[in-house]
Amino acid sequence: MAEAVERVLLYEEALAEVLRAAETVPAPAAETLPLLDAAGRVLAAPIVAERDQPPFARSTRDGFAVRSGGLVEAVAEGLRVVGTVRAGEAWTGPALRRGEALEIMTGAPMPEGADAVLMVEHAAVRDGGVLHPEAGRSLRPGENVVPRGAEARAGAELVPAGRVLGAAEVALAASCGYAEVTVHARPQVAILATGDELVELREELGEAQIRNSNSYALAALVGGENGEPLRLPIARDTSDDLRQRIAAGRGADLLLLSGGVSMGKYDLVEDALREAGAEFVFTGTKIQPGRPLVFGRLPVAGGEGWTYFFGLPGNPISTEVCFRLFVTPLLRALAGRTERAPRFAEARLAEGIHGGAKVTRFLPAEIAGDWKGVTVRQVPWQGSGDLAANGRANGFVVLPLGVEEFRAGETVRVLLR
Ligand code: AMP
Ligand code: MG
């Protein structure tokens, strides 16, 4: 067995390592699904424009299609309204001539000869069909008109592969006639909770026992990132049990373990992984909670390539923080997503908080406010095992290392849930 070498990284360094690993994971398979069944999934093929968008010069207003030049001079005598064109129709009459106007609705194609639309609010029709622009009203050529193909050309890539099919992408796909789309298959993520104290949901609890909540939290987090969670039976804190369960989990696309990575006498996960042939990328991080996190890879049994694993600290808030910061980017890559790193926002501290001299802190926090300003306050907690406090949080406040005190009113980063 190889000698244990510790490698403890700053948050930024650890993230960079995960992102580097993410570059190397194989692209997942593709499957074709009805459009709405694919919502939330990762596109495996781009959404391509079916035709020029708009397919014709389109009026963006209800009003009157006119020739823009000479509109001001037309105030006195007015313009003759020669017809109406509604959305869904095309004007089949002769091209518009000087002195003429065509009543047009939003979304209708522009008639030949016209180059702008006078809004209905800026004109009046009197004397049995004579249009009078309001005094002094002029129009630029092209005003209130989107030219053919200005939004996209036929065949252009509207959404690249690797993006999540959210509501905006569903709208685009629908606008291009995609009844079905091609998305990436979900990577399988094995979840292995370790601990002698753990009891499953329907089992009877002994006094000193606790329920296995991490497997469920992780399954929910995995599901939210387009992974297929596979919950393994709890591994007890013995080398034998860990060996067997790791063997069962290493066939997945990603293996997540929780617990057993600290310095305790029964924290055997790192050794069990090493014994299984693991290479470690890092064995700890300078973050809190989450310091004991380990990341590495196992050779695929009897095949080529590697299965990445994370040994997540057992305390439930550490587990969640490490998932959001480090598992998410790798899982997104395994799911075929091109955007991987978590996105942070900014908020102002509603109250002061202690920072960490040597660790970047990611503390459960309540983020509030509206568009005029977002505030954040730490949720009082009893430490990284306090699931009740975590339940009162809607995100995490980030306190970069090296600063002892963060004062009320300061701007800090937050990670939204
Ligand atoms: P460990 O990392 O194994 O030392 O565990 C740290 C703390 O997290 C201990 O208090 C454990 O009881 C708790 N813990 C470990 N695994 C789980 C789990 N699957 N669900 C809930 N709590 C856990
Ligand atoms: Mg344990």
Side-chain angles (χ1 to χ4, degrees):
M1 200 166 78
E3 190 60 25
V5 179
E6 293 302 314
R7 188 159 184 252
V8 181
L9 302 185
L10 294 169
Y11 165 65
E12 298 86 338
E13 296 169 340
L15 177 63
E17 289 287 6
V18 172
L19 291 173
R20 191 167 19 241
E23 293 295 328
T24 69
V25 299
E31 57 185 332
T32 298
L33 295 178
L35 179 58
L36 278 183
D37 291 353
R41 299 285 294 270
V42 181
L43 284 170
I47 302 290
V48 170
E50 184 179 27
R51 52 183 183 164
D52 284 353
Q53 281 187 190
F56 44 79
R58 178 181 63 202
S59 172
T60 64
R61 301 287 184 184
D62 293 323
F64 298 89
V66 295
R67 288 169 175 268
S68 57
L71 191 72
V72 175
E73 298 73 59
V75 172
E77 64 264 41
L79 299 163
R80 199 162 58 80
V81 180
V82 295
T84 298
V85 58
R86 303 155 42 142
E89 291 176 352
W91 174 243
T92 52
L96 223 63
R97 287 181 301 245
R98 186 166 299 281
E100 291 179 345
L102 183 76
E103 191 180 22
I104 193 165
M105 306 302 153
T106 302
M110 291 291 285
E112 201 141 324
D115 69 343
V117 172
L118 179 67
M119 286 166 63
V120 69
E121 294 88 336
H122 297 159
V125 178
R126 291 193 295 266
D127 316 322
V130 180
L131 174 72
H132 295 275
E134 68 183 17
R137 172 69 53 187
S138 64
L139 275 178
R140 284 177 286 104
E143 196 165 334
N144 300 322
V145 177
V146 182
R148 173 178 179 155
E151 295 165 0
R153 285 292 179 192
E157 189 175 282
L158 298 174
V159 187
R163 281 260 300 274
V164 170
L165 190 74
E169 292 77 12
V170 165
L172 262 172
S175 77
C176 293
Y178 282 80
E180 293 176 327
V181 291
T182 303
V183 295
H184 283 295
R186 290 193 170 107
Q188 204 179 55
V189 183
I191 296 169
L192 177 56
T194 74
D196 285 342
E197 75 280 31
L198 301 179
V199 170
E200 269 305 343
L201 299 193
R202 292 178 197 283
E203 287 172 12
E204 201 149 327
L205 268 177
E207 214 183 320
Q209 295 177 311
I210 63 162
R211 296 221 183 266
N212 168 22
S213 61
N214 285 347
S215 287
Y216 297 89
L218 288 171
L221 288 162
V222 164
E225 287 294 349
N226 274 304
E228 188 92 63
L230 171 69
R231 283 181 297 109
L232 298 171
I234 294 166
R236 299 307 168 190
D237 293 322
T238 66
S239 301
D240 273 356
D241 213 31
L242 285 168
R243 184 181 316 121
Q244 276 178 38
R245 301 284 180 229
I246 289 170
R250 69 191 296 175
D253 297 301
L254 179 64
L255 171 61
L256 303 180
L257 304 102
S258 96
V261 287
S262 305
M263 300 303 285
K265 187 170 168 191
Y266 299 101
D267 290 330
L268 306 173
V269 164
E270 232 179 285
D271 283 345
L273 287 164
R274 193 169 283 112
E275 207 180 301
E279 276 185 7
F280 290 87
V281 177
F282 56 80
T283 59
T285 59
K286 292 175 187 171
I287 70 165
Q288 197 256 328
R291 197 202 56 77
L293 173 71
V294 301
F295 173 53
R297 56 188 196 171
L298 284 162
V300 169
E304 278 186 19
W306 302 86
T307 302
Y308 280 96
F309 64 80
F310 288 89
L312 303 156
N315 268 315
I317 301 177
S318 313
T319 309
E320 183 186 336
V321 165
C322 288
F323 186 98
R324 292 186 184 278
L325 297 181
F326 302 113
V327 180
T328 292
L330 193 77
L331 180 49
R332 286 181 178 174
L334 286 165
R337 264 181 89 166
T338 42
E339 190 194 8
R340 292 160 187 171
R343 257 200 220 144
F344 295 88
E346 284 189 339
R348 285 160 73 87
L349 279 176
E351 296 166 354
I353 318 183
H354 296 296
K358 299 203 168 97
V359 286
T360 296
R361 307 186 80 192
F362 296 86
L363 303 174
E366 196 190 333
I367 298 153
D370 57 21
W371 64 276
K372 286 183 188 156
V374 180
T375 62
V376 61
R377 72 179 74 228
Q378 182 187 0
V379 171
W381 70 336
Q382 302 299 320
S384 59
D386 189 348
L387 274 172
N390 202 30
R392 291 190 291 273
N394 57 3
F396 298 88
V397 57
V398 185
L399 306 172
L401 86 180
V403 181
E404 296 283 336
E405 292 297 328
F406 291 84
R407 285 183 301 277
E410 276 186 56
T411 298
V412 290
R413 299 241 167 90
V414 292
L415 184 61
L416 302 173
R417 272 209 176 113

